[in-house]
Amino acid sequence: MSVGGYAMLQHEMVEQSQKDVQLGEAIVFPVTLVALVLLFGSVVAASLPLAVALLTVLLGMATMWALTQVTDLSVFAINVITLLGLGLAIDYSLLVVNRYREELRAGNAGPEAIAATMRTAGRTVVFSAVTVAVALSGLGLFPMLALRSMAYGGIVTAGLSALVSLTVLPALLAVLGDRVGRGRERATGFWHRVASFVMRRPVGVAAPAVLVLLVLGAPFLGIKLGMPDERVMPESSGARHVATVVRGEFSSGEQNALQVVAPEADGRLGAYAERLSRLDGVARVDTSTGSYADGARRDVRGAFAQGRAAYLSVVPEGDAGRVVKRVRAEPAPFRVLVGGTAAVNEDGTASLKHRLPYALAAVVGMMLVLLFLLTGSVLLPVIALVLSGLSLTAAFGALVWIFQDGHLSGALGFTVTGTTIATVPVMLFGVAFGLAMDYQVFMLARIREEYELTGDGTRAVAMGLERVGRIVSAAAVLMAIVFLAFLVSGMTFMKAFGIGLPLAVLMDATLIRGALLPAAMRLGGRATWWAPGPLRRLHARFGLREADAAEAPSFSGDFSGFDRVR
């Protein structure tokens, strides 16, 4: 005997997700530790990000447990807490530790170095966490439990990552002091030269970079949305085995039967069932008065009514989704409701398409406000959003090329269905866009600081990129390593995250930050930092500033300190 069905499939997904998390953690933590040691050259310094990550994940699990007492949560929130928590905690820890080392090199003692680090990198961490939370909050606008759970998990994870990075980490730095190491200072270096090269040839660099990203994203134009079935599970899944046998060896489609419910049926129920049985793609219709196939009545199948309420079981043959549309389009003599797994899938896809513009508008609007508070510019937030969107093109292109079209299916070990699971692009966008904006905040905050100290737009970009370029590159590589752990999952849509998220992070850390951001800011010239008078006053009062007020020059529309595009 083998047990299958939709309920068994959901149960096995929960179990598989828990196994995937355990396996992913067992791989990620030791690999990340080795990478951190290579980065910092010190076991003590390398252990700090992992300590922050471990505490963040534990607190995240406890918080999500508390949330389950008041609302339902999808099991996939665990994956978000574990992997996103690990990635963000490492990102924030790298930023804080790197700035602390800079302050030590500048001659500040331990307490002074920590205070200066919190005034600068600490503010950036808070702002970054808010940015990531805003990006992921868009998922909460969708009705699907999995998407709402990822929103809850992402917001909690971003907040806790920042909280631990700004409380526990400074305490550890105070205890360890100089043992964290001063690191190697590089006043000029690779990223400075890259930024300078790009700003000398902004169009010549930006045009090929944009072309590459658009070509990589081109397969996304052929996306076909669908909903997951048993084929997303590994071949060892019992539910998948049962569904495969039923589909291949039996002619009827009871496992995809639609429930057509009539709250107040009358004597016209039989005639209505007869008409439904004639619809293309319907094998038969079972009712309380009998079973109809091709318009002919068959034997009674059992009690399908209670009081005036009744329901019909519409058994499809072939594509159940098309049957849902045909049944709903067929005129009924009384009010009816159409349910079943296929109907839920159709409604879910339609709901995603309907809510997507509103979610995007809400996220973009909040991001523009946040980035203005960070930069004090009207143009820079728009540039940052466009560039972050471009960083996702390769991820979305790979999503279709690999998982829908089936390339690399043998190497990655999944079954091709010919469609892309409708929730995956939305989830991927929420997480990847949040991470892209996370790195944009890192870069723009440091560029803004350098600009306020010098008033030279070109120098600010080059020095900002140099100051945090190496550490952000390291953070991106580590984040990619963390997300590659999704590939060990037995479920196809989790493997999609294992490809899409690392691609998005690495594209943002290379083509976007190294080429397009400096080029865009250079092409923007003196308009890059412009804002009208009322907005300048608003930013002066509420905006984020990393440089101390005493050090920052006052700008009120005078662009003489900016280089013009030649």
Side-chain angles (χ1 to χ4, degrees):
M1 297 292 292
S2 298
V3 181
Y6 185 74
M8 180 59 69
L9 177 62
Q10 295 297 311
H11 174 70
E12 290 186 351
M13 281 185 176
V14 171
E15 290 187 333
Q16 185 66 46
S17 178
Q18 293 170 339
K19 293 178 182 177
D20 293 342
V21 168
Q22 294 171 359
L23 180 58
E25 289 175 346
I27 295 173
V28 165
F29 271 93
V31 173
T32 303
L33 177 59
V34 172
L36 287 169
V37 171
L38 294 175
L39 172 65
F40 283 116
S42 164
V43 176
V44 174
S47 65
L48 293 178
L50 284 183
V52 172
L54 180 60
L55 185 56
T56 298
V57 171
L58 291 175
L59 289 174
M61 292 293 185
T63 304
M64 298 307 284
W65 173 84
L67 284 177
T68 62
Q69 310 306 305
V70 295
T71 186
D72 291 331
L73 290 176
S74 167
V75 68
F76 301 116
I78 298 176
N79 300 78
V80 175
I81 289 289
T82 301
L83 296 179
L84 186 61
L86 181 60
L88 287 179
I90 289 175
D91 275 3
Y92 297 157
S93 299
L94 289 178
L95 187 67
V96 170
V97 172
N98 183 67
R99 189 57 184 252
Y100 177 68
R101 285 178 146 192
E102 283 188 25
E103 297 298 331
L104 290 178
R105 289 196 300 266
N108 292 321
E112 290 77 12
I114 292 174
T117 299
M118 292 299 101
R119 284 197 306 268
T120 54
R123 294 177 186 177
T124 301
V125 166
V126 172
F127 208 86
S128 174
V130 173
T131 303
V132 174
V134 166
L136 287 165
S137 67
L139 298 179
L141 299 178
F142 295 94
M144 290 77 170
L145 179 62
L147 293 178
R148 292 203 313 272
S149 298
M150 289 193 73
Y152 299 151
I155 293 171
V156 166
T157 301
L160 289 174
S161 298
L163 178 64
V164 176
S165 298
L166 299 179
T167 55
V168 176
L169 183 55
L172 292 174
L173 293 176
V175 171
L176 295 173
D178 288 347
R179 282 176 289 177
V180 174
R182 297 177 183 269
R184 293 172 293 173
E185 183 177 9
R186 299 180 182 180
T188 59
F190 173 75
W191 287 112
H192 189 283
R193 293 192 296 272
V194 167
S196 300
F197 174 83
V198 170
M199 287 187 288
R200 286 194 297 269
R201 306 166 182 83
V203 175
V205 172
V210 171
L211 181 61
V212 168
L213 290 171
L214 293 179
V215 169
L216 291 176
F220 188 70
L221 298 175
I223 190 171
K224 299 176 183 177
L225 297 178
M227 288 306 244
D229 58 24
E230 72 284 347
R231 289 173 291 179
V232 304
M233 295 293 289
E235 294 183 358
S236 59
S237 163
R240 172 172 177 169
H241 172 70
V242 169
T244 301
V245 171
V246 170
R247 181 184 293 110
E249 300 184 16
F250 294 86
S251 59
S252 60
E254 281 86 357
Q255 63 179 352
N256 292 320
L258 310 181
Q259 288 81 50
V260 181
V261 178
E264 295 185 1
D266 54 32
R268 294 171 291 178
L269 180 66
Y272 175 59
E274 182 179 339
R275 291 204 310 274
L276 293 182
S277 72
R278 290 194 175 98
L279 294 177
D280 186 26
V282 175
R284 71 171 192 276
V285 178
D286 296 336
T287 75
S288 59
T289 58
S291 176
Y292 294 82
D294 295 327
R297 181 177 173 180
R298 300 171 60 187
D299 296 334
V300 174
R301 291 289 180 177
F304 283 79
Q306 183 172 353
R308 294 192 62 184
Y311 81 88
L312 314 175
S313 178
V314 180
V315 181
E317 53 182 4
D319 189 346
R322 293 180 180 177
V323 174
V324 172
K325 294 183 176 68
R326 291 165 185 154
V327 169
R328 286 176 169 169
E330 182 69 19
F334 32 69
R335 186 170 69 93
V336 297
L337 304 170
V338 181
T341 301
V344 169
N345 291 342
E346 288 294 315
D347 291 344
T349 302
S351 177
L352 281 173
K353 294 178 180 177
H354 175 70
R355 296 284 184 93
L356 185 59
Y358 300 102
L360 287 176
V363 170
V364 168
M366 289 186 287
M367 283 295 183
L368 288 174
V369 173
L370 288 172
L371 290 174
F372 168 76
L373 294 176
L374 174 69
T375 63
S377 164
V378 172
L379 180 60
L380 262 182
V382 177
I383 292 175
L385 287 175
V386 171
L387 295 184
S388 295
L390 279 174
S391 70
L392 306 183
T393 54
F396 283 121
L399 183 67
V400 173
W401 189 77
I402 295 176
F403 295 96
Q404 177 178 301
D405 298 341
H407 300 93
L408 305 181
S409 59
L412 295 176
F414 65 89
T415 300
V416 181
T417 63
T419 61
T420 298
I421 298 174
T423 54
V424 170
V426 179
M427 293 179 180
L428 184 61
F429 174 83
V431 178
F433 185 73
L435 294 175
M437 294 309 302
D438 182 43
Y439 291 133
Q440 291 282 11
V441 167
F442 285 4
M443 290 301 309
L444 293 178
R446 194 58 186 264
I447 291 173
R448 174 77 190 189
E449 179 184 351
E450 295 293 336
Y451 154 65
E452 288 190 335
L453 292 173
T454 65
D456 186 329
T458 302
R459 177 178 171 81
V461 173
M463 290 304 299
L465 195 61
E466 173 58 28
R467 292 295 186 185
V468 295
R470 177 172 173 267
I471 209 66
V472 171
S473 298
V477 171
L478 290 170
M479 183 76 81
I481 291 173
V482 169
F483 287 134
L484 283 172
F486 278 117
L487 289 177
V488 305
S489 174
M491 294 181 286
T492 302
F493 55 89
M494 298 307 294
K495 292 180 184 291
F497 292 119
I499 293 292
L501 290 176
L503 267 178
V505 168
L506 293 176
M507 288 296 105
D508 186 78
T510 54
L511 288 180
I512 299 299
R513 179 169 46 80
L516 292 180
L517 180 61
M521 295 185 71
R522 180 62 170 165
L523 290 171
R526 63 180 185 176
T528 302
W529 297 95
W530 178 83
L535 290 182
R536 287 201 304 271
R537 291 189 289 274
L538 180 68
H539 180 264
R541 183 172 182 181
F542 299 106
L544 172 71
R545 292 177 180 271
E546 289 221 341
D548 292 337
E551 299 174 333
S554 175
F555 291 92
S556 57
D558 179 9
F559 297 100
S560 59
F562 291 92
D563 293 339
R564 296 180 182 274
V565 178
R566 290 184 290 273

